[in-house]
Amino acid sequence: MPPPNNNVNQIDDTGGPQAWFNSLPLITRYWFGLAFLTTCAANFGIVSPLKLIYLWDNIYENFEIWRFVSPFLFIGKFDFNTLMALYMLVSFSQRYEMEPYNTGAGGGTADYAAALMFGAASIFATYPLVGMVMKVPPIFGRTLTFFVIYTWSKRHPAAPASIWGIQMKAIHLPFAYLGLSVLMGNMYSDLLHGIAVGHLFYFLVDVVPIVYGKDVIHTPQFLID
């Protein structure tokens, strides 16, 4: 294998997109990278968006098992909301991955992976119920992102946050984003869904152990190993 090009090393040394991307925590790096590539592929016609959305009948009847993953990676058509969703994904995933709730792995990446697994499974389980109340899209990238944002806000409620230059505490941030979406006339049902699942996780991981003395959420050993 030839030695690396010195010019490339110099570019990395001075920073830039590659250096920034490589500096992201492990799960955030892969989630954001795959979400960006998947969203681009769907918008550039490389893959049909219909192949990426969540369709239970296709999973059950045609064994299209990739639909358990692709709805969390396809953010939507290229517009301002999609760009904001990608920004929030990388920003808040990074923040929470660095200091997640300790569910058995010491508050590290394994605990974050377990939280995402819980969030994804809960989103799948509650999607039909939410769909009976309001119209929700069959893509879950923003839903899982708001699960992370809400969980981070409960984990660090007093942390400084802002939206469009308006300063606030982290605990208020999910609802500020939600209110902004409502005022702008954008879809907000997926945000509500993510917040609801995030509150369930917060209740089980933070409230139940204190009030009832029981640890309900445990990071699987295979993630710790």
Side-chain angles (χ1 to χ4, degrees):
M1 183 175 180
N5 187 290
N6 290 333
N7 291 333
V8 174
N9 288 337
Q10 290 173 2
I11 292 174
D12 287 344
D13 290 342
T14 59
Q18 183 178 352
W20 168 79
F21 181 76
N22 291 334
S23 71
L24 296 173
L26 180 65
I27 295 177
T28 300
R29 184 164 68 245
Y30 280 100
W31 184 16
F32 172 71
L34 290 172
F36 180 79
L37 292 175
T38 302
T39 301
C40 287
N43 279 276
F44 291 144
I46 299 174
V47 61
S48 170
L50 295 178
K51 290 290 186 180
L52 303 173
I53 64 177
Y54 177 68
L55 293 173
W56 170 249
D57 289 343
N58 288 52
I59 296 174
Y60 181 74
E61 297 174 4
N62 302 330
F63 202 60
E64 296 179 358
I65 57 175
W66 67 82
R67 293 183 188 270
F68 282 123
V69 177
S70 59
F72 298 101
L73 303 178
F74 175 47
I75 307 300
K77 66 178 181 179
F78 277 144
D79 58 17
F80 177 74
N81 292 327
T82 295
L83 293 177
M84 283 298 299
L86 286 169
Y87 165 76
M88 288 189 291
L89 186 160
V90 69
S91 178
F92 292 101
S93 176
Q94 176 180 208
R95 296 185 196 187
Y96 185 63
E97 184 174 355
M98 294 174 66
E99 291 186 88
Y101 278 109
N102 180 5
T103 53
T109 296
D111 288 327
Y112 182 48
L116 289 181
M117 290 171 59
F118 175 91
S122 299
I123 289 169
F124 281 131
T126 56
Y127 177 71
L129 299 176
V130 176
M132 295 172 63
V133 180
M134 62 183 72
K135 183 179 180 180
V136 286
I139 53 175
F140 306 137
R142 294 206 316 164
T143 311
L144 190 61
T145 297
F146 265 77
F147 162 80
V148 172
I149 292 175
Y150 183 86
T151 305
W152 170 78
S153 74
K154 301 298 283 188
R155 179 74 174 88
H156 305 283
S162 67
I163 178 171
W164 287 6
I166 301 176
Q167 300 296 317
M168 64 188 70
K169 292 183 178 180
I171 194 67
H172 302 131
L173 190 65
F175 304 101
Y177 274 122
L178 178 63
L180 184 62
S181 293
V182 173
L183 289 175
M184 295 178 65
N186 298 325
M187 178 172 287
Y188 59 87
S189 57
D190 51 349
L191 311 188
L192 275 174
H193 191 189
I195 289 173
V197 173
H199 188 73
L200 174 63
F201 180 76
Y202 155 73
F203 179 79
L204 293 176
V205 80
D206 199 8
V207 177
V208 170
I210 296 175
V211 177
Y212 300 101
K214 297 180 180 180
D215 290 323
V216 180
I217 305 295
H218 299 277
T219 299
Q221 190 61 41
F222 74 88
L223 291 177
I224 300 175
D225 295 337

